[in-house]
Amino acid sequence: MSMNRREFLQILAAASAAGFALDSRELLAAQGGGKLYDLPRFGNVSLLHFTDCHAQLLPIYFREPNVNLGIGGAVGRAPHLVGEHLLRAFNIRPGSLDAHAFTYLDFAQAARAYGKVGGFAHLATLVKRLRASRPGALLLDGGDTWQGSATALWSKGQDMVDACKLLGVDIMTGHWEFTLGAERVQEIVKKDFPGKIEFLAQNVKTTDFGDPVFKPYAIREINGVPVAVIGQGFPYTPVANPRYMIPDWTMGIQDDEMQKVVDEARGKGAQVVVLLSHNGMDVDLKMASRVTGIDAILGGHTHDGVPAPSIVKNAGGQTLVMNSGSNGKFLSVLDFDVRGGNIQGWRYKLLPVFSNLLPADKEMAAYIDKVRAPHKAKLEEKLAVSEGLLYRRGNFNGSWDQLILDAMMEAKGAQIAFSPGFRWGTSILPGQAITFEHVMDQTAITYPYSTLTDMSGEMIKNVLEDVCDNLFNADPYKQQGGDMVRVGGMSYACDPNAAMGSRIQDMRLDGKPIEAARTYKVAGWAPVAEGATGEPIWDVVTKWLRDKKVVTPRKLNEPRLIGVAGNPGIA
């Protein structure tokens, strides 16, 4: 639903009366649509960055997590801060636009007051404004761009490729892009990108001779300053996603190789070196402590919207580490003042993209309408109405995930269900209709098969332990950046601080302990094994929703947590 300015101001006034503190700056932003985004130019080198948009061309609702636990040395530091802990750490006023953008607090009420976020037409307007005040600014895309929507899946990413060219993206790296298959990725890079966009990934090599698949870096001159941008694709793609889709490519973190690339770029005259990363923020923080000569890491993958950079000291000086959120919800603006061949100062701002405060770019809006037109009726089919808030983000479960689990267990007659810990997927407000498009926002992948498997209690524990270690291993280089597999039907306890093999405890089904030797019927989806088959998960969920017509608020099946009292990564 769109609102005119008067209606929007009335809702803002109602929000203020309800306790939201709207200061004059924000009211001016609402009235003029620009003050929030009047960011004075600084220095002579500017980089704009978005990441993990997951093919969301239209404005959406997206709730930030209330659980993002940091373990070991990550306790109490970004990105592992949620809710009021985050507000205090970054001095953000409760009830403000930023409080809504960066936290889950009062989400449904604030979302109704402030409206949707993102949307490529609104992002395009912001990019053009910033480029007008920052000549030569580069627009960097951190990846996870060609996947996450129905139209991206049906067009094999072409809708997003063309949208990014229209947006003016200069350089990108990738992750979910690779799940379209190596042949499709190479087709886009070779046919669509020349003269427009450079696809960089220093850590993607061939499995036979270790030859680079993509360019590792590019040097661009911005106002006379040579700037090197290095690409880093998601290191664990062949493990976290189907290996058969990129059978001849190998990846990995490769920080030794990263150091060589940085040194080579410096040797060729780069005065600023920036890493465009899809590592995940914890991995970026560790890499920044080990690799010297990188001035800034503009990161993605873990979907963390962090208001200010983390400054990491290393043997060569320091590196700024930033993560720019997801779903087109934020745009990073990094400005450097470079004189005499050295950086003399910097400024950074992570701007939330509020669609009510930024007019839609006409050219981009027309393109989006064209993309959606052939599919409009199917996308907008109303399947059911949700009485509760539906969201995905959070270390252990979300109400959207719970809905998928419930649908699978009912449809397949399963005792237990597993759903992947994906961090992408839009949110639905209470009372809002769930459309086919919304279901695809949660499920649109190239390996969507739903399954029903006989699993022993021992195997169930091993699966949970393995995924839990990917999330909570004390060494960031052994983390894969997703969330815990969502579990339906059975209860369990989790000690994130325990050793591998000891984190999952007290597994029960109907109050009775899960027996290691006993077999259970387990539903799931998104198998990574080659040759997997099954009904697409979106068909399972849409049938279930059509039958329900009205979906009651979901009761989350979350583990009993051990040893995390006082952790600022949990509300």
Side-chain angles (χ1 to χ4, degrees):
M1 180 184 72
S2 62
M3 292 182 286
N4 61 37
R5 184 182 302 169
R6 182 175 181 180
E7 291 169 332
F8 183 46
L9 288 173
Q10 289 173 341
I11 293 178
L12 286 173
S16 179
F20 287 89
L22 302 173
D23 62 22
S24 58
R25 179 174 179 271
E26 289 160 346
L27 286 173
L28 285 171
Q31 293 169 342
K35 294 293 184 179
L36 181 64
Y37 302 109
D38 284 349
L39 198 63
R41 180 183 178 184
F42 176 84
N44 52 351
V45 171
S46 295
L47 301 166
L48 311 178
H49 175 249
F50 72 95
T51 188
D52 299 274
C53 75
H54 286 284
Q56 294 302 318
L57 288 172
L58 294 179
I60 61 163
Y61 296 115
F62 187 79
R63 177 190 183 272
E64 298 298 328
N66 64 320
V67 184
N68 189 0
L69 290 170
I71 301 300
V75 173
R77 73 176 190 180
H80 302 289
L81 300 165
V82 300
E84 294 176 356
H85 302 293
L86 184 147
L87 298 185
R88 287 194 293 269
F90 294 100
N91 196 29
I92 296 174
R93 186 169 40 76
S96 64
L97 282 167
D98 280 346
H100 174 49
F102 290 105
T103 75
Y104 72 92
L105 296 169
D106 302 307
F107 177 77
Q109 183 182 10
R112 288 193 174 100
Y114 297 128
K116 294 182 177 182
V117 294
F120 260 50
H122 306 276
L123 179 62
T125 295
L126 182 56
V127 168
K128 287 180 178 179
R129 285 188 187 182
L130 291 166
R131 277 185 153 160
S133 64
R134 289 164 168 77
L138 293 180
L139 177 59
L140 309 181
D141 172 1
D144 279 5
T145 305
W146 308 346
Q147 176 277 333
S149 74
T151 55
L153 181 68
W154 297 334
S155 69
K156 298 181 180 179
Q158 193 65 47
D159 66 331
M160 297 309 301
V161 170
D162 293 339
C164 286
K165 289 195 295 184
L166 189 58
L167 187 65
V169 169
D170 294 293
I171 296 170
M172 76 171 293
T173 192
H175 167 209
W176 274 94
E177 286 74 12
F178 301 133
T179 66
L180 294 175
E183 183 177 348
R184 175 59 176 150
V185 173
Q186 290 284 41
E187 179 184 31
I188 291 170
V189 171
K190 292 177 181 179
K191 293 184 179 179
D192 289 277
F193 278 10
K196 298 288 185 179
I197 301 173
E198 289 197 88
F199 193 102
L200 306 178
Q202 75 85 24
N203 61 328
V204 181
K205 311 280 176 41
T206 60
T207 54
D208 49 10
F209 301 111
D211 295 327
V213 176
F214 306 102
K215 284 181 60 176
Y217 69 96
I219 296 180
R220 299 287 187 92
E221 191 169 287
I222 303 177
N223 299 318
V225 178
V227 177
V229 178
I230 303 170
Q232 176 88 346
F234 177 52
Y236 291 109
T237 302
V239 179
N241 305 103
R243 181 79 182 97
Y244 64 84
M245 292 178 170
I246 48 170
D248 301 321
W249 297 352
T250 182
M251 299 184 187
I253 295 171
Q254 301 181 19
D255 57 8
D256 289 339
E257 290 299 311
M258 178 66 73
Q259 186 66 69
K260 292 177 184 177
V261 173
V262 173
D263 294 343
E264 180 179 321
R266 290 285 184 186
K268 290 187 177 180
Q271 296 176 12
V272 177
V273 175
V274 174
L275 174 59
L276 177 61
S277 166
H278 206 90
N279 280 331
M281 190 164 178
D282 286 333
V283 177
D284 285 338
L285 290 167
K286 180 174 179 178
M287 179 173 278
S289 72
R290 292 166 60 93
V291 178
T292 61
I294 300 175
D295 296 305
I297 299 177
L298 289 163
H301 180 60
T302 41
H303 292 200
D304 302 304
V306 182
S310 295
I311 301 175
V312 180
K313 303 292 184 180
N314 54 50
Q318 69 179 33
T319 300
L320 307 175
V321 178
M322 289 142 281
N323 204 283
S324 303
S326 67
N327 288 274
K329 184 177 177 180
F330 296 102
L331 182 70
S332 275
V333 185
L334 176 60
D335 296 325
F336 287 114
D337 178 16
V338 184
R339 286 174 282 135
N342 296 303
I343 295 174
Q344 305 297 325
W346 58 272
R347 297 286 186 275
Y348 176 77
K349 183 71 174 179
L350 183 56
L351 292 173
V353 182
F354 283 101
S355 61
N356 274 326
L357 301 183
L358 290 163
D361 177 78
K362 291 182 180 179
E363 186 179 11
M364 185 66 79
Y367 168 75
I368 294 170
D369 287 344
K370 181 181 177 181
V371 165
R372 294 174 58 80
H375 314 288
K376 188 176 176 64
K378 185 174 181 65
L379 292 171
E380 295 180 357
E381 179 193 356
K382 294 181 180 179
L383 304 170
V385 173
S386 177
E387 292 184 340
L389 175 66
L390 295 178
Y391 62 91
R392 173 165 270 172
R393 276 302 309 274
N395 282 161
F396 296 100
N397 206 352
S399 47
W400 252 121
D401 299 294
Q402 189 65 53
L403 185 153
I404 294 171
L405 292 166
D406 294 343
M408 282 195 297
M409 286 190 292
E410 285 191 33
K412 295 184 175 295
Q415 297 167 285
I416 298 168
F418 291 158
S419 188
F422 296 145
R423 291 190 171 189
W424 44 270
T426 60
S427 302
I428 298 288
L429 300 186
Q432 188 177 350
I434 304 171
T435 66
F436 179 78
E437 182 169 23
H438 292 139
V439 173
M440 293 300 286
D441 288 349
Q442 317 299 318
T443 60
I445 63 175
T446 52
Y447 49 106
Y449 317 109
S450 60
T451 60
L452 182 64
T453 308
D454 289 333
M455 297 179 66
S456 68
E458 180 181 20
M459 184 180 293
I460 291 170
K461 185 177 190 300
N462 289 340
V463 168
L464 295 181
E465 288 282 6
D466 184 58
V467 179
C468 202
D469 191 62
N470 291 338
L471 180 60
F472 295 123
N473 194 295
D475 183 352
Y477 277 15
K478 296 180 180 179
Q479 298 172 6
Q480 291 184 17
D483 281 317
M484 185 63 183
V485 61
R486 281 59 168 112
V487 181
M490 59 165 273
S491 62
Y492 69 101
C494 177
D495 183 350
N497 294 290
M500 171 65 172
S502 301
R503 293 188 180 95
I504 305 301
Q505 305 170 22
D506 194 27
M507 300 189 308
R508 293 177 178 270
L509 181 64
D510 298 326
K512 299 177 181 178
I514 295 286
E515 300 174 28
R518 184 176 174 183
T519 299
Y520 301 87
K521 291 191 177 297
V522 182
W525 68 285
V528 298
E530 188 170 7
T533 59
E535 185 179 16
I537 186 63
W538 52 75
D539 284 348
V540 175
V541 175
T542 53
K543 289 175 186 176
W544 185 84
L545 288 169
R546 288 190 188 107
D547 181 59
K548 294 292 182 183
K549 295 184 177 57
V550 175
V551 179
T552 57
R554 298 293 92 186
K555 182 180 179 181
L556 295 189
N557 183 43
E558 295 182 296
R560 175 172 56 86
L561 296 179
I562 300 170
V564 296
N567 190 308
I570 186 169

